[in-house]
Amino acid sequence: MPKLFVIGAGGHARVIASLLPAAPEFVTTTPATEDERLGTVVMDNPGAEFYLGLGTNRDRMRVADKLRTLGARLPTCVAPNVFVARDAQLDAGTVLCPGSQIGSRAHIGFACIVNTLSSVDHDCLLGDYGQVTAGVTIAGTVKVGKNGFFGVKSAVIPNLTIGDDVVVMAGSLITKNVPDRAMMGGNPARLMRQL
């Protein structure tokens, strides 16, 4: 079995560790020490697997890109009671937490999180570095750009397009297309501010 590393030490890192078949080693860094520390760990552990235990999208994106540049192995982490359709696609570095569901022909991008009891339905695209927090429902044929964040118990109706860097506040219902860098909130959701 390869050596396992989880990058981070907070709640999301502990969730990932609980899903792995063996106890991992945790690697913590600061932006100032990140390049050297990650480079050393990757070079000293050929064949190791690295899991992204960073709950903040920007931090996960930064570290994921560095690890990919270093040639690190970034497998998916899928809880045992997750449903993933046979024809769904999961990109490297993605984490699917307990009870989540990924529908037919859905595509979950690089270094994403689909958290506990969340659903990404058929023919959806969740762009790279996206995060679907606990209890979120994204209905069929929704396209989400990069670095999207969906707060707890938010939902998206079918056939919409959501831009890059969008934040959907907890409990919000998205009923229309959303432009890039928007913070949406309410039911139905409205633009709270431009990011």
Side-chain angles (χ1 to χ4, degrees):
M1 169 173 251
K3 193 164 185 182
L4 307 177
F5 291 92
V6 174
I7 310 301
H12 186 60
R14 291 191 308 275
V15 168
I16 291 173
S18 74
L19 300 174
L20 297 176
E25 184 175 324
F26 290 90
V27 177
T28 58
T29 64
T30 65
T33 63
E34 209 164 76
D35 289 338
E36 183 178 342
R37 177 84 169 115
L38 293 177
T40 300
V41 173
V42 171
M43 298 307 284
D44 289 350
N45 296 281
E49 294 181 350
F50 292 84
Y51 296 87
L52 299 162
L54 302 165
T56 304
N57 284 12
R58 293 279 179 203
D59 292 342
R60 193 172 59 262
M61 177 171 55
R62 186 183 69 246
V63 171
D65 288 345
K66 287 179 184 177
L67 287 169
R68 187 162 46 178
T69 299
L70 292 166
R73 291 177 60 198
L74 296 166
T76 58
C77 180
V78 179
N81 63 341
V82 168
F83 171 77
V84 179
R86 282 190 305 272
D87 57 353
Q89 178 181 338
L90 305 178
D91 287 357
T94 284
V95 176
L96 303 181
C97 293
S100 58
Q101 299 183 32
I102 308 300
S104 175
R105 298 188 338 179
H107 178 183
I108 309 299
F110 177 66
C112 288
I113 300 170
V114 179
N115 219 315
T116 307
L117 299 175
S118 288
S119 172
V120 179
D121 210 347
H122 68 87
D123 300 292
C124 285
L125 168 65
L126 180 60
D128 295 347
Y129 319 108
Q131 182 169 179
V132 176
T133 64
V136 172
T137 301
I138 300 178
T141 321
V142 171
K143 308 297 182 223
V144 180
K146 292 182 180 181
N147 194 37
F149 179 88
F150 294 83
V152 173
K153 298 272 187 189
S154 59
V156 182
I157 69 168
N159 305 312
L160 296 180
T161 300
I162 296 172
D164 293 339
D165 303 304
V166 167
V167 172
V168 177
M169 296 170 69
S172 298
L173 175 63
I174 302 296
T175 60
K176 58 186 177 182
N177 293 337
V178 178
D180 292 348
R181 293 175 299 283
M183 177 180 281
M184 305 294 292
N187 184 355
R190 66 186 196 289
L191 179 66
M192 305 304 281
R193 67 183 173 99
Q194 209 62 47
L195 301 172

